[in-house]
Amino acid sequence: MEQQQETADLPGDSPTLIDVEQAEAAIVEHYPRLVRLAYLVLPPGMGRTRRVLAAHGLAQRALPRGRANGAGAQAAGADTGPGLPGQRGGTQGAADDAGYAFVRLRVLRGALRAARRRRLPLGPALPRVWGLRLSPSPGGSDELALDKALSQLSGPGRAAYALRGLERLGDREAREVLKAAGVADARGALAEADTVEDPAGSRDGTLLESPEFDPCALRARPTDLMRRRQHARAALAAAAALVVCGTLLGLPGEGWGPSGAAAPPYARNPSSERALDPAELTRAAPGAWRTATRADFSTWPARGDRTGDTPLLRRALAVWARPGRSVRVSATPGTQSGPPSGPPQLLYAGEVDQVAVVLLYDGLRVVRYAEAGDGDGGAVALDFARADAADAASSTGLVVTRADGNVRYLAAPWVRHPSVRDLVRPGEAARPLRLTADGVTDPVRAGGADLVGGAGRAPECESWTALRLGSRLVTDLGEIVPARLTYGAPGGRGGGPRDVSGAPARAAWAHTACRLPLLHSRGVRTVNAWRFAAQRLPEGGGSAEWVCTRAETWRGAGGRVLAQFQPPTTDPAAPAAVVANAGDSPACGPREPRVLAGALWKSRAGRWYLLAAGSSQVTSVAARGDVRGTAAGRTLTLPAREGDQARLSGRLAGGGRVTALR
């Protein structure tokens, strides 16, 4: 009998065939756990009701749709090749494990995709609930503390935490699942999950299974009844107005013209129409950047081979004002996605890699409109990036297109000889990069696009591409505006971070570059790395370095600080170990240009030590907890045991105190 089948995208020597009946049985049997897993990985900021509905939708859509050609699906227990690990402690057989692992992977992929796009891919699919506000049962203080801690992680970090705590997977098994789900840096996701401090009630592993995180045990409450009544009346009035406006707009005469993927307008507004009129677009003079007192995006001239294409510009402006349901809209954190308040500035309009691209700037945001083909209803994307207070250092380039792991940039008009550098290979010289007459670069491999993994090991960072535009070094972190990379201690006699140049700066970034995925899609403006301490290791272990990496965002808040420990190594590209990962911390920045960090280190003889180091302002370091001791100066070395916990603090030269970065 012919059965529906789906090929599971699982690692191994051969693909695993999962028929629809097997997948359905796995979903039905493990539905509560699949929904709970999706609920934990989805972005917490979307609200509990939307998060509950999205989790149920992802679990239900995990059922495959494909139909294999031919008859005779593989029977349970047939040789299907190695697959992903199932849930620890389960009682199902090998075939059931394969079915559960398959649907779990589909749920995990969907949840991670929603976390990256920050939009819910619910579409027209069920479930839908009208008039009710749904939320899981409230938990205690431990559950609230854990939920808050998980909200600080990225999607891969939450997935890693859930696979460990909910699925009971070990690190190796969790890395396999994360890699199959499309996580580029599975090891980094596990390291990020390690930063979560488990509340006391979670030591037995029951918090993730509590009603607080159960989207199947729900409380139902009505939404605002008066507001619903008002919205119903407003909807009736809007429908009537839409009928009238549609009739008027359909009459002969001048209108806004075809707007492609834009939603239909509900009313005519002369001010709004002026802002969306291609003839009203502002354009900087070709040489304005040469004489301007401040070089930023406002001095960029309009470039590209379609700056005079009025229909294209009209579609871009209309979609910006009223993106339809078919438009893929993305915005960096903290960026408003509303229409422009006045006529924006045209930066670029042209066709690159068979994609028509328009770049616009309204003084606060850079907006990228892209459409496939000739604007005949193909795929349309609209991306927003915050760019207020941009200066010459942060406005050296913009992303034009991304395709197959390659990126094309539009360079600032003052950039003449761009080049490409591999951060992981500090000894290699930069490679020249060709510019077109319009300022568009040749394709550049995206940073981290070459994350690979061999058999039996997690993905490794083989290279990380950075682009030198003028004297600035920038890299792609998944947004329109690339992030600027710098090196140096904040403040102090050195004058603060500077451009990456010289052997020490390149060496520090070679050990740090592979941690940049932790900062992906966070609205990062600059990333600074600096070596804040060096420490002699016990038992003749050589000298280790401590590096602090700080990411600043365009919105000022939401930055991230990483403290890294680099033991002696002959490999210039060996990634440093992340020993602290803090969000919204002023450490390592201009407000608090100091840092203290610690780590457990194992010598070649197998003995464990607690190591700690602080920046130059630290005069003594103390440890309390499982390991106790004090040392003068800014480094500390104490004998320890594997798994010991310690609270570190340091005394500053001015008399104050500093605690360890966590």
Side-chain angles (χ1 to χ4, degrees):
M1 179 178 65
E2 182 176 334
Q3 299 184 16
Q4 289 180 323
Q5 293 180 323
E6 183 82 0
T7 300
D9 187 13
L10 307 180
D13 299 328
S14 61
T16 300
L17 293 178
I18 304 296
D19 61 69
V20 174
E21 292 180 357
Q22 185 180 353
E24 182 184 20
I27 292 175
V28 172
E29 180 179 357
H30 303 285
Y31 185 80
R33 182 166 293 273
L34 291 170
V35 177
R36 189 187 293 260
L37 176 64
Y39 183 81
L40 288 168
V41 179
L42 285 168
M46 65 177 55
R48 303 187 80 188
T49 296
R50 297 182 66 209
R51 193 171 161 200
V52 164
L53 296 179
H56 282 275
L58 289 171
Q60 294 175 18
R61 288 198 301 280
L63 186 68
R65 298 179 180 178
R67 181 180 295 272
N69 294 326
Q74 286 179 282
D79 183 12
T80 56
L84 289 180
Q87 178 191 349
R88 286 285 186 91
T91 59
Q92 63 266 39
D96 293 331
D97 269 338
Y100 175 70
F102 175 68
V103 296
R104 179 184 63 188
L105 181 61
R106 290 175 64 91
V107 169
L108 193 60
R109 282 175 174 169
L112 288 172
R113 190 179 302 115
R116 287 194 301 268
R117 297 180 178 178
R118 313 228 169 195
R119 292 171 60 85
L120 293 183
L122 287 177
L126 295 177
R128 290 201 174 204
V129 179
W130 300 100
L132 290 179
R133 183 181 293 113
L134 302 177
S135 63
S137 301
S141 59
D142 290 335
E143 286 87 348
L144 293 176
L146 180 58
D147 188 52
K148 181 178 180 181
L150 293 177
S151 68
Q152 304 298 319
L153 302 183
S154 64
R158 291 191 298 272
Y161 189 90
L163 289 174
R164 281 174 168 172
L166 187 64
E167 297 293 295
R168 306 289 198 272
L169 299 184
D171 285 359
R172 183 184 62 81
E173 297 166 322
R175 284 197 300 269
E176 291 180 7
V177 176
L178 291 171
K179 181 172 69 172
V183 176
D185 186 8
R187 193 179 296 274
L190 291 171
E192 187 179 3
D194 287 335
T195 63
V196 176
E197 294 185 5
D198 295 334
S202 65
R203 291 178 181 173
D204 57 357
T206 59
L207 277 190
L208 289 182
E209 298 179 356
S210 67
E212 168 76 16
F213 304 107
D214 186 2
C216 292
L218 302 173
R219 296 193 315 163
R221 296 292 186 272
T223 56
D224 192 323
L225 300 178
M226 290 298 297
R227 181 174 297 178
R228 281 165 51 190
R229 181 174 297 176
Q230 294 170 358
H231 286 178
R233 294 173 179 171
L236 290 175
L242 179 61
V243 172
V244 174
C245 291
T247 302
L248 293 176
L249 290 174
L251 296 176
E254 294 186 0
W256 283 21
S259 54
Y266 291 100
R268 303 292 292 273
N269 185 302
S271 177
S272 299
E273 290 188 21
R274 180 175 177 272
L276 302 178
D277 185 355
E280 298 291 336
L281 285 172
T282 61
R283 304 173 188 238
W289 58 273
R290 301 178 184 275
T291 58
T293 57
R294 176 179 173 178
D296 57 15
F297 294 118
S298 65
T299 64
W300 283 27
R303 291 174 287 176
D305 56 2
R306 299 183 68 174
T307 55
D309 189 339
T310 300
L312 171 64
L313 300 178
R314 190 186 301 279
R315 289 194 298 272
L317 292 168
V319 171
W320 180 356
R322 312 179 312 277
R325 294 183 179 180
S326 63
V327 179
R328 181 190 62 79
V329 182
S330 68
T332 58
T335 305
Q336 298 297 323
S337 57
S341 58
Q345 178 183 343
L346 177 62
L347 302 180
Y348 179 84
E351 187 166 334
V352 181
D353 297 331
Q354 299 180 345
V355 177
V357 179
V358 179
L359 293 174
L360 301 164
Y361 175 64
D362 68 351
L364 299 175
R365 302 164 294 176
V366 174
V367 180
R368 175 182 174 271
Y369 170 86
E371 64 179 28
D374 299 323
D376 55 356
V380 176
L382 188 67
D383 304 315
F384 294 85
R386 191 165 173 176
D388 51 324
D391 53 15
S394 54
S395 56
T396 54
L398 293 172
V399 171
V400 179
T401 60
R402 288 189 182 91
D404 300 327
N406 294 316
V407 184
R408 288 184 186 265
Y409 297 86
L410 176 66
W414 53 83
V415 174
R416 285 290 177 265
H417 304 289
S419 58
V420 177
R421 177 176 291 278
D422 190 346
L423 295 179
V424 178
R425 296 174 173 81
E428 292 186 0
R431 295 180 286 105
L433 184 64
R434 191 180 70 89
L435 280 180
T436 67
D438 295 330
V440 178
T441 68
D442 278 352
V444 177
R445 198 67 177 159
D450 294 321
L451 287 172
V452 299
R457 61 189 177 96
E460 294 183 357
C461 182
E462 299 291 342
S463 68
W464 192 281
T465 304
L467 190 66
R468 185 168 292 281
L469 300 174
S471 62
R472 321 296 183 190
L473 193 67
V474 300
T475 192
D476 176 31
L477 291 183
E479 299 165 9
I480 306 174
V481 183
R484 180 192 176 197
L485 305 181
T486 59
Y487 176 82
R493 299 178 181 178
R498 299 185 178 182
D499 293 317
V500 179
S501 61
R506 289 196 291 269
W509 268 109
H511 297 304
T512 304
C514 293
R515 302 306 179 191
L516 286 173
L518 295 173
L519 309 175
H520 198 271
S521 300
R522 292 180 179 269
V524 173
R525 178 173 182 169
T526 61
V527 186
N528 180 57
W530 61 292
R531 191 189 76 164
F532 66 86
Q535 183 175 17
R536 297 295 302 177
L537 298 177
E539 302 183 18
S543 179
E545 294 184 349
W546 296 82
V547 176
C548 188
T549 303
R550 179 177 179 84
E552 300 284 358
T553 66
W554 285 94
R555 61 190 184 280
R560 187 159 291 274
V561 182
L562 307 177
Q564 299 168 92
F565 174 75
Q566 180 60 62
T569 177
T570 57
D571 183 2
V578 176
V579 298
N581 185 348
D584 292 326
S585 171
C588 284
R591 289 179 55 193
E592 291 188 9
R594 55 185 178 271
V595 64
L596 173 67
L600 287 175
W601 176 78
K602 186 178 181 181
S603 69
R604 294 180 180 176
R607 286 184 283 270
W608 287 89
Y609 293 89
L610 172 66
L611 306 178
S615 52
S616 59
Q617 303 91 334
V618 178
T619 58
S620 66
V621 182
R624 298 291 183 268
D626 297 338
V627 184
R628 303 177 66 87
T630 305
R634 57 188 178 123
T635 61
L636 172 73
T637 303
L638 293 173
R641 294 174 298 179
E642 183 179 4
D644 278 350
Q645 300 289 326
R647 299 183 301 276
L648 298 173
S649 62
R651 186 172 296 277
L652 301 175
R657 300 189 68 83
V658 60
T659 58
L661 189 69
R662 300 183 66 85

